[in-house]
Amino acid sequence: MPDNKPQSTARTRKPGHFTYWLLGALAIVVADQLTKGYFDGSLKYGERWNILPFFDFTLLYNPGAAFSFLADGQGWQRWLFTIIALGAIGLILNLLYRHPRQLLFCTSLTAILGGAVGNLVDRMQHGHVIDFLLFYWDSWYFPAFNIADIGISVGAALLILDEIRRMRRERRKAARHA
């Protein structure tokens, strides 16, 4: 027999919004994995396709973290980064579920989640992350990266912006009540 107790509107709407955030993260994961698969299948390791005077598509493997941090490890870093990613994914899922109506906050978390899952898939499947976007100027090279890395970077920037906006709101509120 169904329970006829009224449920709070916030409680019943949360999963719907949570689902939208998950779908956004899934879109990033799909775009990331499709592009990585394309370049991994189309280029030889280290090969470059020149697109612009400052940009190439390339195929590189990164067993480390951002900017190849700890890439020289003996394989243990794969498991360290896997554990860190799983912890971050759990935390992000919890935050998305608890705060689904905070647009900028959840947008940032969704981008980070999509990127974290995209790179986690690579680590689990290949033991390294596939990178294919290479920006450079003259003899200066930015480390190669991928769609997941873009999601993480944009998400982090949006998270910082969200925190700055939150602090400003709190200052204005405190000033009004002072």
Side-chain angles (χ1 to χ4, degrees):
M1 183 169 195
D3 185 11
N4 290 331
K5 292 180 188 174
Q7 296 181 351
S8 79
T9 306
R11 172 67 84 199
T12 57
R13 288 191 183 164
K14 272 187 181 180
H17 290 280
F18 178 71
T19 302
Y20 295 141
W21 298 121
L22 292 182
L23 289 173
L26 179 62
I28 293 169
V29 173
V30 169
D32 177 64
Q33 290 300 303
L34 288 174
T35 54
K36 287 174 178 174
Y38 174 77
F39 288 104
D40 197 32
S42 300
L43 290 166
K44 295 181 192 107
Y45 182 81
E47 182 180 358
R48 291 170 53 177
W49 290 344
N50 183 258
I51 306 301
L52 296 169
F54 56 88
F55 173 71
D56 291 352
F57 288 127
T58 190
L59 179 62
L60 298 173
Y61 301 141
N62 180 2
F67 307 113
S68 296
F69 176 68
L70 295 178
D72 296 344
Q74 303 301 313
W76 60 268
Q77 74 276 23
R78 172 186 182 187
W79 302 110
L80 173 67
F81 297 133
T82 297
I83 290 167
I84 291 170
L86 289 171
I89 289 166
L91 175 64
I92 290 169
L93 289 172
N94 181 292
L95 290 170
L96 286 172
Y97 186 78
R98 288 183 22 220
H99 306 283
R101 294 190 175 277
Q102 293 182 17
L103 183 64
L104 186 57
F105 180 67
C106 288
T107 300
S108 69
L109 292 178
T110 296
I112 295 168
L113 177 62
V117 171
N119 282 341
L120 178 61
V121 168
D122 278 14
R123 285 189 203 291
M124 298 305 296
Q125 191 173 25
H126 308 292
H128 56 259
V129 173
I130 297 169
D131 290 325
F132 59 89
L133 300 169
L134 181 64
F135 285 89
Y136 57 91
W137 188 255
D138 199 22
S139 63
W140 175 86
Y141 286 82
F142 190 80
F145 59 100
N146 56 49
I147 302 297
D149 296 336
I150 293 170
I152 293 168
S153 298
V154 169
L158 291 175
L159 194 59
I160 292 167
L161 177 62
D162 182 65
E163 182 61 17
I164 291 168
R165 291 177 66 199
R166 185 194 63 76
M167 289 178 359
R168 283 183 175 171
R169 281 192 305 270
E170 285 183 8
R171 264 191 262 135
R172 281 193 300 259
K173 185 178 177 182
R176 281 193 299 251
H177 295 300

